Amino acid sequence: MSNPESKAVRACEAYNFRAMIGTDVIHGDDYLALRDNDWPNVWDLNFAANVTASSEAKINAMLGALAETYIVQGYCRFLVTPFTPPSFVAHIAIEDYQEHMPIVQMVLSGGLKIERSAGFRMTKVVSDDDWDDLFRLVRADHLEGARTQGGKLDVSVTYGIVEGYRRKSGPCQFFLAFIDDALCGYGSATTCPNGMGMIEDLFTLPH
């Protein structure tokens, strides 16, 4: 396996590791399913990944099993990567699955030069007040609509996302960002078992 391909594999592993924290994980023969029946309308907590089914028979068997897995959700979302079998990707395209905005993951090699604005500081999300601040920022993020092609997410989705963050806290560390005393952004960091770190959920207020 080439070095760039190896890094891509590890990046996909890191993404799945972070996603699995705090959700029900179902290991199928040809897939991995993440499910949270408490928050069925939150896509980030309910999706199938690591699909290896490539034959028509295996694909149909997997889709039948996942229809039962996601009966509460009423939909089945797949995470497709460069390593997903093309025959499966073609199958769901023919079945008229809707493609969402691609997730772009970048792998940093070497050091990173950091320049901080005057008055900038970050604090860990620890207390209930911190989580309340994080909720307000996530809600502003969802109302902005940049992640959803201009669509504004319902507040119930915001509650579900933040609850998912709470369940991930520990392995995932969430941060609040300030300029002087003004709250201005949030993000998270996760150290994964394969040695790769993951920076995720970055957002800053527009003003």
Side-chain angles (χ1 to χ4, degrees):
M1 186 181 295
S2 67
N3 188 44
E5 184 178 356
S6 173
K7 289 181 178 178
V9 169
R10 290 173 65 208
C12 292
E13 290 173 348
Y15 186 93
N16 287 341
F17 168 76
R18 183 185 182 280
M20 287 189 291
I21 301 169
T23 65
D24 292 332
V25 180
I26 300 159
H27 295 269
D29 292 336
D30 299 294
Y31 63 89
L32 182 75
L34 279 61
R35 182 181 66 189
D36 191 326
N37 286 343
D38 292 336
W39 301 98
N41 62 337
V42 179
W43 293 343
D44 283 359
L45 303 177
N46 298 278
F47 66 87
N50 285 9
V51 172
T52 59
S54 57
S55 69
E56 195 71 13
K58 285 192 172 184
I59 291 172
N60 286 330
M62 178 185 67
L63 292 177
L66 288 172
E68 293 296 321
T69 298
Y70 293 116
I71 194 167
V72 172
Q73 287 72 9
Y75 64 87
C76 185
R77 177 175 178 249
F78 291 97
L79 180 64
V80 173
T81 77
F83 310 105
T84 305
S87 56
F88 171 70
V89 178
H91 185 102
I92 59 175
I94 292 172
E95 291 290 326
D96 205 26
Y97 275 71
Q98 180 182 356
E99 183 179 7
H100 291 175
M101 181 183 292
I103 299 169
V104 178
Q105 291 181 278
M106 297 180 288
V107 178
L108 174 67
S109 298
L112 177 65
K113 182 180 179 181
I114 300 175
E115 296 183 2
R116 295 175 180 265
S117 301
F120 176 83
R121 63 184 175 89
M122 294 174 60
T123 63
K124 295 180 179 180
V125 175
V126 178
S127 68
D128 287 341
D129 287 343
D130 294 336
W131 283 106
D132 288 343
D133 284 341
L134 180 61
F135 175 86
R136 285 191 284 272
L137 287 166
V138 175
R139 187 62 193 147
D141 187 356
H142 290 173
L143 289 174
E144 182 185 63
R147 299 181 194 269
T148 53
Q149 294 113 330
K152 293 178 173 57
L153 297 179
D154 188 81
V155 69
S156 64
V157 176
T158 306
Y159 278 114
I161 290 286
V162 175
E163 176 60 27
Y165 288 168
R166 276 186 175 265
R167 295 178 185 179
K168 295 180 188 302
S169 61
C172 302
Q173 179 61 65
F174 292 86
F175 297 89
L176 301 173
F178 298 82
I179 297 293
D180 296 324
D181 291 326
L183 189 64
C184 65
Y186 72 93
S188 72
T190 307
T191 301
C192 304
N194 65 5
M196 185 170 281
M198 185 173 176
I199 305 298
E200 181 73 347
D201 303 311
L202 297 178
F203 172 75
T204 57
L205 292 170
H207 53 276

